[in-house]
Amino acid sequence: MKKLLYIMDPMCSWCWAFSPTAEAIKQTFPNLAVEFIMGGLAADSDSPMPKEQQKTIRSIWQHIEESTGTKFNYDFWTQCSPRRSTWRACRAVIVAEQLSPGSAAQMANAIQQAYYLNAQNPSDSETLIRLAESLGINASDFAPLIDAQSTQQTLQEHMALSRQLNVSGFPALRFLDGEKVIRLSDGYSKPDRIIKELHQLGANE
């Protein structure tokens, strides 16, 4: 069986920049199965993000915007209370997929748009529950699972798989062809090279 593994974190700014590439792959290979693997960049934390770290991440956003044209809403830094905490957003993608198979991509995209365009904080459960509801997922089913130990265990398994695949940067792509694992990318990529490689690998077959 041929499948694409997309290793990412919905609160990774380079993964947001990668969205057009991910969409181009989907449009070019509509029948290729894609499995989302959560990278889990930053552990759960209720501590405010230090000002110096806020400054660093803002500068990364600016660099990405200048080099790729990706849009960011900098109101996030004044309207929200930033925390260096992405595991909850990762678990939200896992839960969405569990409750509504096939919705991982939609949930990841909803989190990215909320965070990067609408200045909402995906480190907060309330934001994630609202996004799940917007996708038609029942909030009373979704809410208790975001921080459930079983969901955290699944996230740990995702992170272990990421290490097993020798991922060195997000977003990362691996192509599975039966037992064979082929590295396509580690870090941001434009679509042309990846689409060409997928054609060569017979991703449409």
Side-chain angles (χ1 to χ4, degrees):
M1 179 186 173
K2 296 180 179 181
K3 179 165 66 171
L4 189 66
L5 299 183
Y6 180 23
I7 305 100
M8 58 93 74
D9 186 305
M11 293 182 70
C12 155
S13 45
W14 280 109
C15 296
W16 170 234
F18 188 73
S19 296
T21 298
E23 183 59 28
I25 293 168
K26 180 182 172 184
Q27 295 297 326
T28 309
F29 304 97
N31 298 319
L32 178 62
V34 179
E35 182 176 345
F36 278 65
I37 306 297
M38 295 295 102
L41 277 174
D44 294 323
S45 173
D46 291 324
S47 301
M49 189 184 295
K51 292 294 182 187
E52 202 54 40
Q53 191 171 46
Q54 291 188 40
K55 187 178 174 184
T56 298
I57 294 176
R58 277 180 63 110
S59 70
I60 292 170
W61 286 17
Q62 288 164 341
H63 169 66
I64 294 172
E65 197 165 48
E66 289 163 8
S67 59
T68 70
T70 306
K71 298 300 180 190
F72 291 88
N73 183 347
Y74 295 89
D75 288 345
F76 172 81
W77 300 102
T78 53
Q79 293 181 6
C80 296
S81 300
R83 304 196 305 284
R84 186 65 179 150
S85 179
T86 76
W87 281 8
R88 182 172 283 143
C90 289
R91 290 195 299 268
V93 175
I94 290 169
V95 173
E97 180 65 21
Q98 288 173 344
L99 295 176
S100 179
S103 68
Q106 290 176 293
M107 189 65 190
N109 183 254
I111 292 169
Q112 289 173 328
Q113 296 217 18
Y115 182 26
Y116 295 112
L117 295 182
N118 300 326
Q120 298 171 12
N121 195 345
S123 298
D124 296 336
S125 297
E126 297 80 6
T127 300
L128 299 168
I129 293 165
R130 190 165 60 248
L131 294 174
E133 282 186 300
S134 75
L135 299 179
I137 297 170
N138 188 292
S140 59
D141 293 333
F142 180 86
L145 291 173
I146 301 174
D147 293 330
Q149 185 54 45
S150 59
T151 311
Q152 178 60 22
Q153 178 59 39
T154 303
L155 174 58
Q156 296 290 349
E157 290 165 6
H158 280 225
M159 292 160 65
L161 177 57
S162 174
R163 291 191 293 272
Q164 186 183 327
L165 293 168
N166 296 313
V167 169
S168 60
F170 301 134
L173 293 176
R174 299 291 185 271
F175 183 71
L176 302 189
D177 188 353
E179 296 297 311
K180 196 158 51 171
V181 180
I182 298 144
R183 177 189 173 278
L184 291 175
S185 65
D186 285 86
Y188 173 81
S189 300
K190 291 184 178 179
D192 293 356
R193 178 188 62 80
I194 293 172
I195 286 172
K196 182 180 178 183
E197 282 193 46
L198 285 170
H199 275 301
Q200 292 169 346
L201 291 167
N204 263 336
E205 295 169 8

